[in-house]
Amino acid sequence: MHNSHHDVVIVGAGPVGLATARMLGLMGHDVVVVERWPEPYPLPRAVHFDDEIGRVFQSMELADEVKAIIEPVPDFYEWRNAAGEALVRIDWSGTGPNGWPTANFFSQPQLERVLGEAVASMPNVDLVRGADVIDIEERDADVVVSAGDTGVVKPGHLAPTTQVTRRFTGRYVIGCDGANSFVRRRMGARMDDRGSFFDWFIVDTIPSDDVTWSPMNWQLCDPVRPTTIVSGGPGRRRWEFMRLPGEDPDQLGTTENAWKLLRAWGRTPDNTRLERHAMYTFGARWADTWRRGRLIIAGDAAHQMPPFAGQGMCSGLRDSANLAWKLDRVLRGVSGPALLDTYTSERSVHLQHAIAMSVELGKVICVLDPEQAALRDQRMIAGGADPAEVLPVTARPVLGEGIVRTGGALGGTLVPQFAVEAQRSPRLLDDATGNRAVLLLLSDSGAEQILDAETRRTLPAIEAAAKSISAAGDPDLRDFTGEWTRWFDTNSIAAVLIRPDHYIYGAVADIGGIAGLVGEYEARLRHDTMSVPAPGAA
């Protein structure tokens, strides 16, 4: 019987589990990742992440490794009708506000290899494969995770494990174990299910010919069969075909049908290798709680959504970033366990924006009635294919109640990552300030010269750095592009307090409000689980 003791036991070695392990490991904690499959799953699944998630990889010190395996989008994402007319054109080119390409495509096995190698290189993180979790016992001070040895088997051919061969003890357990999460079931969490929507046949390919795909990613909104055509990462292409009413999923999802559908796009065994094909049923649901006692869930274990906005894996990695800095404080004893309650309250609200957006986009794409499709096309063409005019309006993505100052427009939103000059070297903001809380002031003098004694005493307690930024004078960080100055001016603020996950706690319109801002943040971290109203806050 193998036994081991850790700070955290993570169940599941997909991108979310490995990312969470990497983050906690960089914070100095002893972590074990327990994965049921003996080998990494070798075939594609997720293919897209946005500039915010690039920033998350950057926080894991993996920017170069991740950039080496992605295909940034050079143009736009276009939806077309059956006649080839543009219904909407979304600009995905260039660099987003987080300092990374706006949209990035990748092959999940390559990403998991990057994350797995990064985790394996850490002396305080263990990755145990071939261990199928079959029991979890929560005790007063820790949790015991029991697993059986799955042996060497192929994905999809796993026989049930009955004999416990390993036990892992941790102060907390994080279930990153997918839509059928064992950890979620053991927690007793209920799913808020908004229903299953459509079945799609996903076909991943590796073309062998030299084809320029322009635009790189597009959506055919044809009621005969809605189809998605996107990158699958460098050297790969993905087709997604909607299952039509009356079609048998088992018959549709065959190799023969994959080639039949691809042939209409000029893809044959002579110029294409079929890498993977699978049927997926897309639904929208989330757990009512993401933490109960010492058990926590993240990623697909906590939520699932349709793929139309490309936010499934992105949402899971946002979970990791939100959870890691809070659990770090709890493990070190500088915050109480109640801080973890804000993980559910913040992320579940933010997550519902991504789900709502995915569902609404699906309603536009998946129109099968020719008359309804014609009306849709007429409306969108009349709107000039402008996303602001023709796509459904959804709520702004803002964190729910938690470590967020209410009463202003910026609390709970993501701060941008424009470049700065630090020590005469241009850097992105996070590289200049580190992955910690930051009080950022618009001033041409150093922050130490501006802050009062009370604030300077409080900053170490909240583990925050104070930095001034300006295009002139002698600030701590130089705004050599002018983007930061414009951002402060546009939002009519003098200072912003940024959490370790780069979300904004709150902002103030003048320097005199900084002491109150910092004091409230410190109180939230020590005592409360809910946000503090701040009349007049920015």
Side-chain angles (χ1 to χ4, degrees):
M1 180 73 69
H2 178 274
N3 295 275
S4 58
H5 301 271
H6 306 271
D7 292 326
V8 179
V9 179
I10 295 174
V11 181
V16 176
L18 293 172
T20 306
R22 175 70 174 177
M23 293 177 193
L24 290 170
L26 289 172
M27 294 169 182
H29 301 294
D30 186 301
V31 181
V32 62
V33 183
V34 182
E35 167 58 44
R36 69 184 302 197
W37 300 114
E39 299 292 336
Y41 192 76
L43 299 176
R45 282 151 291 158
V47 294
H48 166 266
F49 68 81
D50 57 28
D51 61 309
E52 177 185 353
I53 301 309
R55 187 177 185 178
V56 172
F57 290 129
Q58 176 188 338
S59 75
M60 289 187 263
E61 301 178 3
L62 295 175
D64 291 342
E65 292 85 346
V66 170
K67 286 179 179 178
I69 63 167
I70 62 174
E71 185 171 40
V73 177
D75 47 23
F76 45 85
Y77 175 38
E78 186 172 87
W79 300 6
R80 300 173 182 170
N81 64 9
E85 298 168 295
L87 304 181
V88 66
R89 183 176 289 122
I90 304 170
D91 186 3
W92 272 1
S93 65
T95 300
N98 289 286
W100 277 66
T102 301
N104 308 273
F105 283 78
F106 66 97
S107 172
Q108 186 168 332
Q110 290 182 322
L111 178 62
E112 289 188 7
R113 183 170 63 250
V114 167
L115 293 171
E117 290 175 354
V119 163
S121 70
M122 305 179 76
N124 55 329
V125 180
D126 291 332
L127 175 55
V128 179
R129 295 190 181 274
D132 188 20
V133 173
I134 56 177
D135 191 30
I136 297 175
E137 178 190 0
E138 186 174 4
R139 304 186 295 198
D140 290 341
D142 56 22
V143 186
V144 179
V145 176
S146 299
D149 188 351
T150 61
V152 180
V153 294
K154 295 181 179 180
H157 297 80
L158 178 65
T161 300
T162 57
Q163 183 177 3
V164 174
T165 58
R166 308 184 189 190
R167 287 195 173 95
F168 307 89
T169 303
R171 294 166 63 188
Y172 286 89
V173 170
I174 305 175
C176 303
D177 49 341
N180 297 315
S181 170
F182 181 89
V183 179
R184 185 186 66 234
R185 295 198 303 273
R186 184 50 56 98
M187 281 174 55
R190 292 178 293 104
M191 297 300 287
D192 186 339
D193 196 333
R194 298 304 169 97
S196 297
F197 295 90
F198 305 101
D199 294 336
W200 285 68
F201 184 34
I202 312 301
V203 181
D204 287 301
T205 70
I206 302 178
S208 57
D209 53 351
D210 187 14
V211 176
T212 299
W213 306 93
S214 182
M216 179 188 288
N217 307 284
W218 66 287
Q219 176 73 49
L220 175 62
C221 300
D222 183 354
V224 172
R225 189 185 298 276
T227 303
T228 303
I229 309 98
V230 296
S231 167
R236 289 177 163 84
R237 296 296 294 174
R238 168 172 288 185
W239 275 262
E240 302 177 358
F241 302 98
M242 183 176 167
R243 182 179 70 84
L244 304 177
E247 287 186 318
D248 185 314
D250 292 334
Q251 292 182 5
L252 175 63
T254 64
T255 301
E256 181 183 1
N257 259 326
W259 284 120
K260 180 180 178 180
L261 291 166
L262 288 173
R263 196 169 296 118
W265 299 89
R267 299 290 97 193
T268 70
D270 293 332
N271 59 24
T272 302
R273 177 158 69 88
L274 191 62
E275 188 173 27
R276 177 182 186 244
H277 56 85
M279 292 294 305
Y280 280 90
T281 300
F282 300 135
R285 61 181 192 153
W286 60 88
D288 62 340
T289 182
W290 300 9
R291 175 246 175 176
R292 184 162 288 156
R294 295 183 179 275
L295 305 184
I296 306 169
I297 52 176
D300 285 354
H303 47 76
Q304 297 101 52
M305 71 186 73
F308 304 115
Q311 290 297 307
M313 188 194 76
C314 294
S315 294
L317 290 171
R318 291 187 187 99
D319 298 344
S320 300
N322 186 291
L323 174 61
W325 75 271
K326 296 173 180 176
L327 185 55
D328 166 58
R329 291 186 62 89
V330 172
L331 290 170
R332 291 188 290 115
V334 295
S335 288
L339 179 64
L340 299 176
D341 291 334
T342 68
Y343 169 57
T344 297
S345 62
E346 289 180 3
R347 282 294 304 138
S348 63
V349 170
H350 194 280
L351 176 278
Q352 288 173 46
H353 165 267
I355 288 181
M357 180 170 59
S358 298
V359 169
E360 291 303 315
L361 294 180
K363 290 178 181 178
V364 177
I365 293 169
C366 300
V367 175
L368 298 179
D369 181 88
E371 292 184 2
Q372 292 180 8
L375 291 174
R376 174 202 62 195
D377 297 354
Q378 182 180 21
R379 175 185 64 82
M380 297 181 78
I381 292 170
D386 180 354
E389 296 291 331
V390 302
L391 290 183
V393 176
T394 57
R396 186 184 184 203
V398 180
L399 297 177
E401 290 187 324
I403 310 302
V404 176
R405 193 188 212 203
T406 59
L410 292 178
T413 64
L414 187 68
V415 78
Q417 191 188 199
F418 305 132
V420 299
E421 186 180 275
Q423 299 175 340
R424 299 185 179 183
S425 174
R427 306 176 189 177
L428 291 172
L429 177 70
D430 302 346
D431 291 335
T433 61
N435 294 305
R436 53 180 171 172
V438 178
L439 177 65
L440 195 61
L441 303 79
L442 183 65
S443 173
D444 56 10
S445 300
E448 286 292 320
Q449 301 174 41
I450 301 167
L451 300 177
D452 59 28
E454 178 185 354
T455 301
R456 290 198 299 271
R457 285 194 299 270
T458 306
L459 286 173
I462 63 173
E463 301 177 342
K467 299 290 183 181
S468 63
I469 189 165
S470 175
D474 189 24
D476 300 311
L477 304 172
R478 186 169 299 281
D479 180 22
F480 69 95
T481 68
E483 289 180 293
W484 279 111
T485 301
R486 286 190 292 274
W487 184 79
F488 273 86
D489 289 345
T490 298
N491 289 287
S492 301
I493 61 173
V496 59
L497 183 52
I498 307 164
R499 310 182 334 173
D501 60 354
H502 314 308
Y503 277 77
I504 295 172
Y505 169 72
V508 292
D510 58 72
I511 297 297
I514 290 177
L517 180 72
V518 171
E520 289 169 9
Y521 180 70
E522 194 253 347
R524 297 284 71 76
L525 293 179
R526 283 190 295 109
H527 298 300
D528 299 331
T529 61
M530 305 307 285
S531 54
V532 173

